[in-house]
Amino acid sequence: MIPHDWKSAIYPLVGIAAIVVIWQLYVSMFGINRIVLPGPFDIWDASVKNWSLLLTETWPTFVESILGFLLAVAIGIPVAVCVANSRVLNLTLYPILIATQSVPKVAIAPIILVWFGLGLKSKLVIAFLVAFFPIVVDTATGMRATPPGLVELARALRASPFQIFTKVQFPAALPFIFAGAKVAVTLAVIGAVIGEFVGSLNGLGNLLLTANSQLDSPLAWAALVWLSLLGILLFAAVVVVERLAMPWSESGH
Amino acid sequence: MIGQVESGMVATSAAIPFGHFKDVRQSFTRGSNTLVAIENISFDLKQGSLVTLLGPSGCGKTTFLKIVGGLISATSGTVQISGRDVTEPHPDFGVVFQQANLMPWRTVISNVLFPMEILGRRDAAAVTRASELLAIVGLSGFDEAYPSQLSGGMQQRVALCRALIHKPKLLLMDEPFGALDELTRMEMQDLLLDIRAKTAATVMFVTHSISEAIYISDTVVVFSKRPATIADYIDVDLPYPRSAEIRYAAGFTELEHRAGRALGIAR
Ligand SMILES: Nc1ncnc2c1ncn2[C@@H]1O[C@H](COP(=O)(O)OP(=O)(O)OP(=O)(O)O)[C@@H](O)[C@H]1O
Ligand SMILES: [Mg+2]
């Protein structure tokens, strides 16, 4: 979770700092070859030296992840709403969803590349595929978890099914939807990188592979760090949207 | 005043009673076994009266209240409000449940305005009325708070305002104060009597508590154990406005005793 105030933000920062210090001490004391394991200083160095390269390569990965994620939200939420509200659709679609989910995405990535080419589209599709499932599952769970008392209250006022959906069921499901979205957004980055590993022209995953093959470990590690920063950034963005969309839950903490 | 005819009651007037219930029966079937929740429930509800349904847990009070509110339909029998069969919920009804059932994503005032929104009548006048109601229940200044910032008693007050916002002719209350502590509960009872005096709504109130039933009601309908029938129909002839003093009056204790006998917990 993203900490709520600056005081609690200290804890993870101290933790990270401790790891970095121990890591650097280990690397310099035992004279570890920087190809095997570069130290934090080497990675920092590589980051600073290659910052414009890293930035250019972050952009495609960012676009692939965010578009895949947004597509998963745009398609996943309506699908979940249908699945949760219709028995027939639930029985029809759920097994298919589970089946597609259990196919390893790494295994279908090459096929997707054949279909969609080396560019943005194939990565977007893979990111979409991995992000889709948690959004559908969590949204559907939320749709079914509507407090029955609230539905009864709306029914007592003769609310239409549409009113019940927009005014009760959907807002009540928001915490679930955001829980799914937070998982999905980090998965989307992983999906994009999987796509880039299998075949790509650019992106952080592509850069990581290239640097690795050239035994430029500090740059490979720098790409890794930037990847996780991208993941954290996207996660934080979802948290910000969540807080804006659900101002009531913050006051409950 | 027309009840399940008790001795000494005034004769039935020719006018249609506000609420009329005749041989209401509700059974639930699960698999091969049928559970009869209520049976032979017949009584009339006078316009503007406050009637309490008192009975042991699981006897069918909620079931009956929901039938009157049109939320479920009776297996058989006649359920009429204002001379018309109740087949579905009516916007002239207001409901309060045991849980406040507030929407955590809405502010207090927006929760109160929820019925007006559903009924398509959320206008400036409605907002003013919502604020007034909140002031009556002692919650002025909390309009923009979220339910999670309120205590249980405060939440139940909001639920009460929400039930009143559309000026219902019939207020259905299912153990609304059941989850509150004794002191808050007594406060809420006074508040209910106060509001009722101001709005002249007819109230049907469900409770487990004998003293609560007698303190607030014109009439207490005592339900027996399941399958529930009417064990007693008690006219409470204590004067309004009522205050805490009355709880210690001889007449009050006598009525408590009578209700206890009807419930089978006293002789
Ligand atoms: N939808 C239902 N399906 C099956 N049985 C039901 C249903 N609703 C209520 N019952 C049964 O009917 C009986 C009466 O239930 P009801 O909720 O009306 O009791 P109650 O008097 O309100 O109890 P309490 O005071 O504990 O709230 C119970 O035995 C309950 O199990
Ligand atoms: Mg009940």
Side-chain angles (χ1 to χ4, degrees):
Chain A
M1 288 270 43
I2 300 281
H4 264 266
D5 52 83
W6 292 111
K7 248 184 223 155
S8 47
I10 302 243
Y11 294 94
L13 289 179
V14 167
I16 291 168
I19 291 174
V20 166
V21 167
I22 293 168
W23 181 357
Q24 186 61 51
L25 283 177
Y26 173 77
V27 168
S28 16
M29 273 164 62
F30 295 94
I32 308 288
N33 187 329
R34 69 166 53 146
I35 294 174
V36 178
L37 179 67
F41 280 131
D42 301 322
I43 298 170
W44 177 257
D45 247 20
S47 272
V48 172
K49 253 189 259 153
N50 299 293
W51 72 269
S52 80
L53 173 68
L54 282 160
L55 205 59
T56 353
E57 297 303 323
T58 304
W59 179 247
T61 310
F62 167 76
V63 173
E64 292 154 9
S65 319
I66 194 95
L67 289 184
F69 167 74
L70 290 177
L71 195 64
V73 170
I75 297 179
I77 292 178
V79 166
V81 169
C82 298
V83 164
N85 287 307
S86 147
R87 219 179 88 83
V88 176
L89 282 179
N90 185 23
L91 292 174
T92 319
L93 288 181
Y94 229 72
I96 300 176
L97 273 174
I98 308 266
T100 50
Q101 178 57 19
S102 48
V103 177
K105 299 299 171 302
V106 192
I108 48 168
I111 302 171
I112 305 259
L113 251 86
V114 170
W115 288 349
F116 294 97
L118 283 175
L120 164 76
K121 246 188 272 167
S122 55
K123 321 300 178 292
L124 189 157
V125 169
I126 297 168
F128 161 75
L129 284 177
V130 287
F132 185 64
F133 194 69
I135 290 195
V136 171
V137 172
D138 282 358
T139 305
T141 307
M143 290 289 156
R144 291 208 194 88
T146 319
L150 295 185
V151 177
E152 193 140 69
L153 179 86
R155 278 216 310 127
L157 292 157
R158 281 204 305 205
S160 66
F162 182 71
Q163 281 177 318
I164 292 182
F165 172 71
T166 54
K167 292 187 186 291
V168 181
Q169 201 183 18
F170 191 76
L174 272 182
F176 293 84
I177 295 175
F178 276 105
K182 279 185 266 187
V183 176
V185 82
T186 37
L187 286 181
V189 178
I190 296 175
V193 172
I194 289 174
E196 288 173 3
F197 275 7
V198 174
S200 59
L201 307 168
N202 51 20
L204 278 175
N206 180 290
L207 176 68
L208 203 157
L209 275 193
T210 318
N212 217 31
S213 67
Q214 292 163 354
L215 298 182
D216 188 353
S217 293
L219 182 59
W221 278 81
L224 199 64
V225 170
W226 280 58
L227 258 180
S228 53
L229 288 178
L230 176 63
I232 293 169
L233 186 87
L234 288 174
F235 184 91
V238 175
V239 173
V240 168
V241 174
E242 179 184 29
R243 286 191 193 160
L244 291 177
M246 315 193 316
W248 67 90
S249 69
E250 201 172 2
S251 53
H253 280 286
Chain B
M1 201 47 86
I2 345 135
Q4 205 202 24
V5 184
E6 277 282 322
S7 56
M9 290 202 51
V10 181
T12 310
S13 73
I16 313 161
F18 179 75
H20 174 66
F21 316 117
K22 181 99 183 93
D23 296 330
V24 181
R25 179 190 150 91
Q26 179 72 48
S27 56
F28 296 105
T29 312
R30 202 169 272 158
S32 56
N33 28 338
T34 302
L35 177 141
V36 179
I38 54 174
E39 210 168 30
N40 289 329
I41 303 286
S42 305
F43 66 96
D44 283 356
L45 192 59
K46 202 185 135 196
Q47 170 98 49
S49 61
L50 199 165
V51 172
T52 297
L53 310 179
L54 177 68
S57 183
C59 73
K61 304 179 297 292
T62 299
T63 304
F64 184 71
L65 199 79
K66 282 185 179 168
I67 291 173
V68 174
L71 285 164
I72 54 178
S73 50
T75 313
S76 66
T78 310
V79 179
Q80 292 181 334
I81 299 291
S82 304
R84 251 176 286 155
D85 285 332
V86 174
T87 50
E88 56 176 352
H90 195 279
D92 275 349
F93 301 166
V95 283
V96 186
F97 302 101
Q98 180 163 8
Q99 270 76 40
N101 277 331
L102 299 181
M103 297 175 183
W105 57 86
R106 283 173 173 255
T107 57
V108 164
I109 189 143
S110 154
N111 264 289
V112 174
L113 285 165
F114 179 72
M116 300 308 263
E117 237 174 270
I118 297 293
L119 301 173
R121 297 192 333 232
R122 190 195 159 133
D123 48 21
V127 177
T128 313
R129 179 168 159 79
S131 294
E132 283 167 8
L133 282 169
L134 286 169
I136 291 176
V137 302
L139 282 179
S140 33
F142 285 93
D143 293 28
E144 296 306 322
Y146 283 105
S148 58
Q149 297 165 315
L150 306 183
S151 72
M154 291 158 93
Q155 293 190 13
Q156 205 53 271
R157 283 166 211 244
V158 177
L160 189 57
C161 294
R162 180 180 59 190
L164 292 167
I165 184 78
H166 58 298
K167 301 189 180 163
K169 297 206 173 69
L170 176 61
L171 192 55
L172 301 168
M173 308 182 81
D174 191 358
E175 296 184 44
F177 313 144
L180 307 177
D181 64 274
E182 190 66 24
L183 281 178
T184 314
R185 199 177 172 139
M186 282 152 93
E187 243 175 68
M188 293 294 286
Q189 291 165 3
D190 286 331
L191 181 66
L192 174 64
L193 291 184
D194 193 35
I195 284 175
R196 183 240 184 168
K198 282 181 186 144
T199 59
T202 309
V203 183
M204 189 178 269
F205 189 102
V206 166
T207 182
H208 279 132
S209 157
I210 296 178
S211 65
E212 175 167 88
I214 296 185
Y215 183 68
I216 61 174
S217 320
D218 294 300
T219 308
V220 180
V221 181
V222 184
F223 279 31
S224 68
K225 283 211 193 76
R226 215 181 48 238
T229 53
I230 295 183
D232 200 356
Y233 188 94
I234 306 171
D235 273 315
V236 181
D237 44 10
L238 301 168
Y240 288 101
R242 295 179 188 169
S243 63
E245 296 310 311
I246 214 167
R247 295 175 194 272
Y248 310 103
F252 194 91
T253 325
E254 229 164 73
L255 289 169
E256 280 187 322
H257 196 175
R258 179 169 163 193
R261 276 198 304 270
L263 287 168
I265 54 171
R267 290 197 210 197

